[in-house]
Amino acid sequence: MKRLDNPLLAQFIPEARELLEHAGRSLLTLERAPGDVAAMNALFRAVHTLKGTSGLFEIPAVTRSLHAMEDLLGAAQAGRVVLSSALADVLLDTLDQTGRWVDALANEGAIGADAGGIADALIKQLAPLMGGSSAGVASEMAMDDPPGWLVRVGPLPAGPLLAVTYTPDAHCFFRGEDPLGLVRQLPGLFWLCVEPVAPWPELGALDPYHSNLRYLAVARCRSAEAAELFRYVPDQVQFAALGGDSSPAGKEVWRAILAAQVRLLDAAPTPDPIADGRLVAARETARRGLIAAGRSAILPEDVTGLRAALQALLASQDAPAAETRMAVPEAPRVAGTPILRVEQGKVDALMNLTGELVVAKNALAWLARRAAGEQMSPRQLAREIKDRHALFNRIAEDMQAAIMSVRMLPVDHVFQRFPRLVRDIARRLGKEVELQLEGAETEADKTVIEAMADPLIHMVRNSLDHGIEPPAERLAGGKPEQGTLRLTAQHENDHVVIRVIDDGRGLDAARLRAKAVEKGLMDAERAAALTDEEAFQLIFLSGFSTAAAISDLSGRGVGMDVVRSTIERAGGRVRLFSRSGEGTMVEIALPLSMAITRIMTVACGERLFGVPMGLVVETVRVAREELRRVGGTDAFVLRDRVVPFLHLARLLDLPDKPGPQPQPEAILVVCLNGERLGIAVSAFQDVLETIVKPLEGVLAGLRGFTGTTLLGDGRVLLVLDLPELVRRCP
């Protein structure tokens, strides 16, 4: 993918995505409440703004589609069209396609050769909903006679062409119009010339907000496309169909351009902010003229020398008329770099902390000089170093908090996609579902927000497919015809907790036990011993599914196991609660941040490993005589509760070197899948706050480890993936 710097396009892409998001949400609100004036106004503003900004780039298909959508929304605002579900479908399709075009712009720098045909198809879908053809889609239009200015163009290529004469209203700038941007959107633009409508006034009397230009253009395009483009200014534009010819070209336009540049330089002989722009334009004109004439394109830097070069070109008769054609560059390409918007106050806080860090760094240099030049006792030096360490520690903690606040995003960043998802899936399934969102303002780290997106989609799809019943079944069961799906978010300690709650049929524990035995996941005796709550957790097993038929929504035995593994890899946990006939709740908890991780270091023989503190419940030391074998598993009793345990050395397939018999067993109690499990280790070490980096290179596929970090002495510490190690344990 090529990357060309274009700040305007780089700014357009995230703004377009945000406008599409607002438009989609407003449209879904309107579908539920067609009389919501605020939602209609918000939708119209978003589409109108997006249409206007799209006109700055060579993407006429996008602009035409949004024009048609804006027409339809205008008719709905005026009461001529009723916003039905069928109409909402077409409007959502238009927004979806616009989103795909924006993605293509971000990734490829262009919207594709088929964009025009796609736009035509969308407009044809929108037109009947207005009770007629869209204003900008005209199959026939009145044609004027070929204008006299065509003599300036030179030889025309073969094939049908369109001559366009566009004279914008003098006050067009006050209405936010961009005449040049509009003309440049003409498909197949071949030739473009800009000329004044009336003589220019003196520089002191020049009004920069008064349009005094006429735009002359020749394009390879259909008349309907041009009519669509100029749909809002039909009285300011004339068209003439051309069949292509070989009319001679004169030099009048080229000479007029040169003369205009000389006059502009005469009007502002000294460099200033305005004159500098004229110098750039004049230098570019002279450069093109010299190259076309076969001369050296080296130009003087001063105004006097540049004026002389322009006058020499003006007197010359060999500047070809072909140079009157203005190059129309392709839309520059820009990489789809993610953008994070940050409040100014947060940036200011980081700048202040950076200043404090610089001051603290200078204090270290002072301390080094003092230690070298004075007779400081080791105790004095240690005290000074400890003081400096405390200062650095305070700044580091404040900077960590400030950086984390910059990375914090509201959960709404994920929640905003679900109104559309729930609407579409419910319609496909023939169900009526109300989506309720609570706590969307709850914030978490950007990486956490991104990590929860796919698991939430899985859970929502399962609730809609398996949980909420069809209307007839709900009515027969004494429930309202419309089901309810709730997504809630809240902070609990240092975690963000998301719950997906439906009022559907719930889970049948007996059926889950039977299905587990049928699929060979456990024997009948073990399944019968499961409590209802334990039976509910069976849906997280790989390959487990109760769906009677396979669909594109569920039923393949994948989904909830992916949910669990994804959440656990992110340092979180997932639990499920259900009541038959009443509904189901799935709860996921993720740490507020995945950038800084708290880990406990534990020893296994002579080796050190890290365990995420999010999994750790407590550490205990158990006398060896208190260890028991329960059902073929090692276990111990902790506060009247039997806790099974495994040896870390065996999980890692390392030599097991137990200490002397009287020594108590060091056991790390962790919580995996809602159950407590002991991990026997050689010793407990420190708790650290660190950055865990994923495994790379030859270690990238190593299972059982989440990543690595560095200890204070420079050693590399492997961080364990305990859920994976325990699953692999026979």
Side-chain angles (χ1 to χ4, degrees), residues 556-591:
R556 290 181 172 83
V558 296
M560 294 307 288
D561 60 316
V562 175
V563 167
R564 184 177 70 176
S565 61
T566 301
I567 292 171
E568 288 177 350
R569 279 198 303 271
R573 64 179 185 273
V574 57
R575 295 188 299 173
L576 185 145
F577 309 90
S578 184
R579 287 188 179 181
S580 181
E582 297 184 17
T584 302
M585 179 180 76
V586 183
E587 175 186 279
I588 66 173
L590 286 166

Side-chain angles (χ1 to χ4, degrees), residues 45-100:
R45 282 196 304 269
V47 174
H48 177 74
T49 303
L50 186 56
K51 178 210 69 176
T53 52
S54 69
L56 299 174
F57 309 97
E58 298 293 328
I59 48 175
V62 178
T63 307
R64 290 195 300 117
S65 301
L66 293 171
H67 271 322
M69 184 173 180
E70 188 180 35
D71 279 349
L72 190 52
L73 292 175
Q77 277 185 316
R80 298 192 304 272
V81 174
V82 178
L83 191 62
S84 62
S85 294
L87 175 57
D89 286 339
V90 180
L91 294 175
L92 287 169
D93 288 344
T94 306
L95 293 176
D96 289 343
Q97 181 58 53
T98 305
R100 287 191 286 272

Side-chain angles (χ1 to χ4, degrees), residues 526 529-538 540-541 564 568 572-577 614-618 638 641-646 668-679 722-723 726:
R526 183 181 173 189
L530 295 176
T531 64
D532 285 355
E533 184 176 346
E534 291 171 337
F536 295 150
Q537 313 310 314
L538 292 173
F540 293 111
L541 296 178
R564 184 177 70 176
E568 288 177 350
R573 64 179 185 273
V574 57
R575 295 188 299 173
L576 185 145
F577 309 90
L615 300 177
V616 178
V617 177
E618 60 182 306
L638 180 63
R641 181 174 180 176
V642 176
V643 178
F645 75 94
L646 301 169
L668 186 71
V669 181
V670 298
C671 182
L672 302 179
N673 303 325
E675 298 294 332
R676 295 196 175 189
L677 176 69
I679 304 294
L722 281 181
V726 171

Side-chain angles (χ1 to χ4, degrees), residues 373-586:
E374 300 181 14
Q375 295 296 326
M376 298 180 65
S377 67
R379 179 170 295 183
Q380 286 179 312
L381 182 60
R383 186 167 53 250
E384 292 282 357
I385 293 175
K386 186 175 181 180
D387 290 343
R388 299 299 178 271
H389 174 268
L391 176 61
F392 270 99
N393 185 64
R394 194 268 301 170
I395 295 174
E397 289 179 349
D398 290 348
M399 188 165 284
Q400 176 184 332
I403 292 174
M404 291 307 305
S405 69
V406 168
R407 293 174 54 89
M408 297 293 270
L409 289 177
V411 174
D412 188 54
H413 190 76
V414 174
F415 277 10
Q416 65 191 11
R417 71 184 64 186
F418 289 107
R420 174 71 185 279
L421 180 69
V422 170
R423 172 196 183 272
D424 290 348
I425 293 179
R427 292 191 66 183
R428 287 174 55 190
L429 296 173
K431 299 179 179 180
E432 296 184 13
V433 181
E434 178 189 6
L435 176 64
Q436 299 177 356
L437 302 176
E438 301 173 13
E441 69 283 356
T442 305
E443 290 188 329
D445 187 88
K446 178 177 180 291
T447 53
V448 174
I449 296 293
E450 293 170 348
M452 69 173 63
D454 287 342
L456 280 177
I457 289 174
H458 276 296
M459 291 189 286
V460 167
R461 289 164 70 100
N462 276 346
S463 291
L464 294 172
D465 196 17
H466 295 303
I468 297 178
E469 313 93 329
E473 184 178 336
R474 291 181 64 85
L475 289 174
K479 293 183 177 182
E481 188 176 17
Q482 184 183 62
T484 301
L485 179 64
R486 293 173 55 212
L487 268 67
T488 71
Q490 66 184 70
H491 286 146
E492 291 187 4
N493 299 322
D494 58 348
H495 283 71
V496 56
V497 178
I498 311 291
R499 296 181 177 91
V500 180
I501 309 166
D502 68 64
D503 65 346
R505 59 173 63 95
L507 296 177
D508 186 336
R511 185 183 177 201
L512 293 173
R513 295 187 189 95
K515 186 63 73 171
V517 174
E518 176 187 331
K519 290 182 172 292
L521 299 175
M522 60 180 59
D523 56 39
E525 182 180 355
R526 183 181 173 189
L530 295 176
T531 64
D532 285 355
E533 184 176 346
E534 291 171 337
F536 295 150
Q537 313 310 314
L538 292 173
I539 69 169
F540 293 111
L541 296 178
S542 178
F544 188 89
S545 176
T546 59
I550 291 177
S551 71
D552 59 346
L553 289 177
S554 58
R556 290 181 172 83
V558 296
M560 294 307 288
D561 60 316
V562 175
V563 167
R564 184 177 70 176
S565 61
T566 301
I567 292 171
E568 288 177 350
R569 279 198 303 271
R573 64 179 185 273
V574 57
R575 295 188 299 173
L576 185 145
F577 309 90
S578 184
R579 287 188 179 181
S580 181
E582 297 184 17
T584 302
M585 179 180 76
V586 183

Side-chain angles (χ1 to χ4, degrees), residues 353-378:
L353 288 169
T354 301
E356 292 187 42
L357 188 61
V358 171
V359 173
K361 179 197 71 173
N362 295 337
L364 284 181
W366 171 81
L367 178 60
R369 289 193 301 270
R370 182 182 172 192
E374 300 181 14
Q375 295 296 326
M376 298 180 65
S377 67

